[in-house]
Amino acid sequence: MAAGLPRRMFMVAGPPDSRAVSLTFDDGPHPEHTPALLDRLAAHDIRATFFVLGRNAEKHPDLVRRMSAEGHDVGHHSFTHGEPATTSARELVAESWRTARLLGELLGRRPRLFRPPHGKITAGKALGLWASGQTIVLWNQDPKDFSCGSAEALRAWFVGRPFAGGDVVLLHDVHPYAAQAMDAIAVAVRAAGLGFCPVSAWFDSPGPAASARAA
Ligand SMILES: [Zn+2]
């Protein structure tokens, strides 16, 4: 489905000539794991992208504001994380509007990055999202942190992995592992000669922003 579509509409990975990797965190905010993760990201000067659930953003508005204040992209990931197979295009778009409106109230601007639950999208759902100006963001690197069972297992996935510029890594801030493994993640990516950028850097100002972040 990505074939031929501009990255502004449908992104699986960033430009291969980017010198940065994008870390993305789904399903939060979580009252314990998200602050811990934000602390580690700040310690390593990493700007990332969060795809928050509306129902969790509603419960933890201060964490959403903190994400944005610390330079991260805040995208959305539906309100309820409904099962894609039983969620109609109409329902998904309605949830995306509900979450976008909530984030707009919290942040003063509507989000434009959307990650579909489980990465499942249909043409009908995509058309509804594009009609409201959303960029659909998937990923090309999946360490499956939700099933790692320990930070050590997640660290092991990152160490020595041949990262490439433009990689988009799927992680979750409703588990403790990403925060606990962040020191090793920062070292592993930088050892590959790459830096970090939020996904919006790849279409806001292609190249220079991502390169600057990699420096
Ligand atoms: Zn999710």
Side-chain angles (χ1 to χ4, degrees):
M1 187 167 164
L5 289 171
R7 196 171 284 118
R8 183 69 183 80
M9 294 174 75
F10 192 94
M11 181 190 290
V12 175
D17 61 350
S18 166
R19 298 302 301 158
V21 163
S22 211
L23 301 180
T24 65
F25 301 96
D26 289 10
D27 297 355
H30 181 281
E32 182 184 344
H33 305 319
T34 303
L37 175 63
L38 286 166
D39 288 347
R40 297 320 301 153
L41 293 172
H44 289 286
D45 196 25
I46 294 171
R47 243 68 70 201
T49 302
F50 288 84
F51 291 100
V52 302
L53 285 182
R55 68 179 178 202
N56 290 340
E58 200 169 52
K59 276 188 254 177
H60 309 292
D62 289 349
L63 289 174
V64 175
R65 291 192 194 96
R66 183 178 163 191
M67 290 167 182
S68 180
E70 295 183 2
H72 306 292
D73 283 345
V74 181
H76 56 135
H77 189 48
S78 83
F79 201 89
T80 64
H81 213 288
E83 188 55 43
T86 55
T87 303
S88 70
R90 210 168 129 172
E91 287 166 332
L92 184 75
V93 170
E95 281 204 29
S96 95
W97 270 96
R98 186 179 173 193
T99 309
R101 194 164 53 241
L102 170 67
L103 296 180
E105 286 163 13
L106 292 177
L107 302 176
R109 63 184 180 284
R110 293 275 179 110
R112 56 182 199 179
L113 304 173
F114 179 80
R115 173 165 283 162
H118 301 291
K120 296 271 198 307
I121 193 79
T122 62
K125 289 173 179 174
L127 287 171
L129 292 159
W130 289 331
S132 57
Q134 302 300 306
T135 299
I136 298 166
V137 183
L138 299 186
W139 60 85
N140 70 332
Q141 294 283 355
D142 183 5
K144 301 196 187 307
D145 60 334
F146 53 87
S147 64
C148 273
S150 73
E152 194 47 55
L154 184 59
R155 281 186 203 104
W157 187 91
F158 275 88
V159 172
R161 184 156 293 265
F163 285 104
D167 279 348
V168 177
V169 185
L170 173 64
L171 292 160
H172 298 82
D173 56 327
V174 287
H175 300 289
Y177 312 123
Q180 293 168 354
M182 194 50 62
D183 296 358
I185 292 171
V187 169
V189 170
R190 287 179 172 139
L194 299 166
F196 296 93
C197 71
V199 295
S200 66
W202 285 326
F203 47 73
D204 281 347
S205 42
S211 304
R213 184 62 61 200

